[in-house]
Amino acid sequence: MTTESQLRADIVEVGRRMYARGYTASNDGNISVRLGSDRLLMTPKSVCKGFMTPDMMCITDLDGRKLQGDRDPSSEMLMHLEVYRQRPDVRAVVHAHPPIATGFAVAGIPLDRAVLAEVLTTLGSVPIAEYATPSTKELPEAVRKYIKAHDGMLLANHGALTVGGDVFGAYYKMETIEHFAKISLVARLLGRENLIAREEVDRLQGLRGTYGIASPAPICADPSDALAALESGDPALCQVVQAPEGGGQRLVADVIGDGPPSLASTERASYGARPPQPSESAGEIRLTYRELSALIEDAIRSLR
């Protein structure tokens, strides 16, 4: 069993990585791990996660009472406690504000499209928990709706939350969410996404067991299953993934004209983009190199 001193050191290292990668700024973010069956080791409030030391950590019980430590535990402690109540299998919780993933959370866009095979096999989908005032009882209530079925989620207008069997496992899932968000953003800026077909999603789900990846809930790529999950009021029935029928194809091109406008199609006007040419189909938007560069530069500026 990992010693307390090692767990303290692990939290410090994960906090350093989060800060170095820009997942947190100033005193943002918080980390916790189980310390035995009835105690938690948690980051303190009002401390930059990039400059913590092992002695700064707090020890609490599962009701949030501080048992040890010179500092007070994280102001987001209630959210952590709710995760541990709902998921006895979880050993660590990481909360951060990775910029691009948080941008999706602010835009109200969940990361639930079947785009990357690695994400489907490790996380399934990444939903958005409803907005709740940070550090209040509203936040654990919002997280409760999804935590039984998901190891990672976005928090509306707030950030992201991941869980794992240890603190590094939870942190790596945070990396995966931000990496997924970056790729999704670029694809949408380019004006299209090729989605993994529903039949291929089913195949990837079957590989979870082969890879030894434990999942809190199965993927439901069939619209009827997804609808049943949502109507039940308990999304824990499955992980809702948007995946079209392939008709024998493993990848299906997303047609912009059939759904909400992509970033590329909605932002073109602000850069004086030329109107669609007669040769362009209704489901295709072509960008010049200058137009694409301007879109990407604007997105980067907005994240700084």
Side-chain angles (χ1 to χ4, degrees):
M1 184 176 180
T2 307
T3 63
E4 180 182 325
S5 62
Q6 184 60 58
L7 291 174
R8 288 174 179 266
D10 290 346
I11 291 176
V12 168
E13 175 60 19
V14 167
R16 185 193 67 78
R17 295 188 187 194
M18 285 168 49
Y19 185 71
R21 299 195 66 150
Y23 293 179
T24 62
S26 184
N27 300 330
D28 295 350
N30 29 79
I31 307 164
S32 67
V33 299
R34 285 190 188 268
L35 188 61
S37 60
D38 57 354
R39 296 182 300 156
L40 301 176
L41 189 63
M42 188 175 301
T43 52
K45 65 169 61 174
S46 303
V47 171
C48 177
K49 302 309 169 292
F51 298 91
M52 296 187 296
T53 56
D55 60 289
M56 291 181 178
M57 306 308 151
C58 305
I59 296 178
T60 75
D61 63 16
L62 294 179
D63 293 319
R65 289 185 290 266
K66 188 174 76 170
L67 304 177
Q68 184 179 328
D70 296 331
R71 300 170 181 263
D72 291 331
S74 168
S75 60
E76 303 283 20
M77 176 178 61
L78 296 177
M79 177 175 63
H80 290 248
L81 295 174
E82 185 63 28
V83 172
Y84 291 116
R85 290 191 194 101
Q86 298 296 328
R87 292 282 300 276
D89 60 307
V90 166
R91 306 293 300 178
V93 177
V94 169
H95 167 52
H97 304 158
I100 299 180
T102 302
F104 275 81
V106 170
I109 303 173
L111 294 168
D112 62 354
R113 309 192 87 197
V115 175
L116 298 176
E118 293 80 5
V119 173
L120 290 170
T121 53
T122 56
L123 283 174
S125 69
V126 183
I128 299 180
E130 295 177 0
Y131 176 75
T133 305
S135 306
T136 69
K137 292 182 179 179
E138 293 178 358
L139 191 53
E141 291 173 0
V143 168
R144 184 185 308 135
K145 185 175 180 181
Y146 293 102
I147 191 59
K148 286 187 177 180
H150 298 85
D151 286 343
M153 69 185 74
L154 303 179
L155 307 175
N157 291 68
H158 187 167
L161 176 77
T162 53
V163 304
D166 57 56
V167 69
F168 282 101
Y171 165 72
Y172 292 145
K173 288 171 185 173
M174 186 67 69
E175 281 192 344
T176 297
I177 287 178
E178 180 68 352
H179 191 60
F180 182 18
K182 288 180 182 179
I183 293 171
S184 292
L185 176 61
V186 170
R188 295 175 195 218
L189 286 171
L190 292 171
R192 64 180 294 162
E193 286 180 301
N194 288 327
L195 301 181
I196 297 174
R198 190 179 308 164
E199 298 83 357
E200 181 67 8
V201 170
D202 291 338
R203 176 185 291 182
L204 291 169
Q205 180 167 217
L207 291 176
R208 281 178 162 184
T210 303
Y211 296 151
I213 299 173
S215 174
I219 292 173
C220 54
D222 187 291
S224 61
D225 292 339
L227 182 62
L230 294 173
E231 290 180 343
S232 72
D234 182 13
L237 291 174
C238 60
Q239 299 174 344
V240 177
V241 171
Q242 296 186 46
E245 291 185 348
Q249 300 296 317
R250 294 189 178 187
L251 297 178
V252 180
D254 177 38
V255 179
I256 294 173
D258 288 346
S262 69
L263 288 173
S265 63
T266 56
E267 294 295 327
R268 282 166 58 98
S270 64
Y271 292 99
R274 69 202 179 352
Q277 302 302 304
S279 61
E280 294 179 356
S281 68
E284 178 182 4
I285 292 179
R286 299 177 186 176
L287 297 176
T288 66
Y289 180 79
R290 178 175 296 179
E291 291 166 355
L292 176 60
S293 297
L295 287 172
I296 294 174
E297 289 172 4
D298 184 64
I300 293 172
R301 281 196 301 270
S302 69
L303 295 173
R304 288 176 179 171

